[in-house]
Amino acid sequence: IWTGVFQKGVVLFPAESIGFRYVGHKSVVSNRIGSACVMSLYKDRDEVLWVGTDSDGLYGISPDGKIDRHFENSSDPASVPSTIMCIFEDSRGTMWLGSYVHGLAKVDKQTGKCRYVPLKNLPGSSIYDITEDAYGNLWIATMGDGLFCMEIDSGKIVHYQTGDYGYLI
């Protein structure tokens, strides 16, 4: 039985034990990811599971299930965003965060320091998804600000806006 827990995660009650573990708020064993709502998940090339939250920062959970990194939002302009909507690691091993308020950020996985990348004149676009195409371009989907394509090497950004009829122009 799969059970959704409002703003706290998912629990599986199996017919037989299969080793599924709940990781989250009010866990029976331990509280591994704080009390915030989980907004995004991403497993990187090193098998680290990254958990982006709403107001509790970014967690890195190692393959053995231990939290080995936790980066919190703070007054430091290079801290992780407060609400992390998506996480993506590009083909070069760079990790990117898309946030609800702070836009696009390139994050150092060891220190948690972020370099925010303004998308044209929209530094605070709400980023909902990031992916990479076969040519090494990042595609950045926003809520209400259209679609962006960024050449990773040059940093050149092309903005595709939505037209009056809802399609990209």
Side-chain angles (χ1 to χ4, degrees), residues 1-167:
I1 299 172
W2 285 94
T3 304
V5 183
F6 181 66
Q7 293 187 345
K8 299 300 177 195
V10 177
V11 177
L12 171 66
F13 297 102
E16 46 189 272
S17 180
I18 57 172
F20 182 86
R21 294 177 292 145
Y22 173 76
V23 177
H25 181 59
K26 296 186 180 176
S27 171
V28 175
V29 178
S30 67
N31 181 0
R32 295 189 180 157
I33 58 170
S35 61
C37 181
V38 171
M39 303 300 291
S40 54
L41 297 170
Y42 189 85
K43 187 176 276 191
D44 71 12
R45 62 179 61 193
D46 298 321
E47 299 293 311
V48 173
L49 177 65
W50 292 95
V51 181
T53 68
D54 182 9
S55 71
D56 195 30
L58 180 67
Y59 289 86
I61 301 175
S62 63
D64 64 2
K66 295 180 181 154
I67 291 179
D68 59 3
R69 285 166 263 189
H70 179 210
F71 307 120
E72 296 181 76
N73 179 262
S74 70
S75 60
D76 179 353
S79 71
V80 296
S82 56
T83 302
I84 301 167
M85 302 299 291
C86 60
I87 305 166
F88 182 75
E89 182 180 38
D90 67 28
S91 59
R92 293 155 181 85
T94 302
M95 196 160 82
W96 300 87
L97 304 176
S99 77
Y100 187 72
V101 174
H102 299 96
L104 180 66
K106 180 193 267 191
V107 64
D108 181 312
K109 294 190 281 186
Q110 301 308 314
T111 66
K113 296 294 182 188
C114 291
R115 185 177 65 80
Y116 289 87
V117 179
L119 301 174
K120 298 286 183 187
N121 296 324
L122 303 167
S125 296
S126 294
I127 310 295
Y128 277 73
D129 203 7
I130 304 167
T131 194
E132 182 178 3
D133 66 20
Y135 303 102
N137 299 307
L138 280 187
W139 288 88
I140 301 125
T142 71
M143 175 59 97
D145 290 326
L147 182 68
F148 292 85
C149 180
M150 182 175 84
E151 292 177 5
I152 296 173
D153 291 333
S154 70
K156 178 183 173 191
I157 298 173
V158 177
H159 183 198
Y160 301 92
Q161 294 177 246
T162 53
D164 292 335
Y165 300 102
Y167 55 85

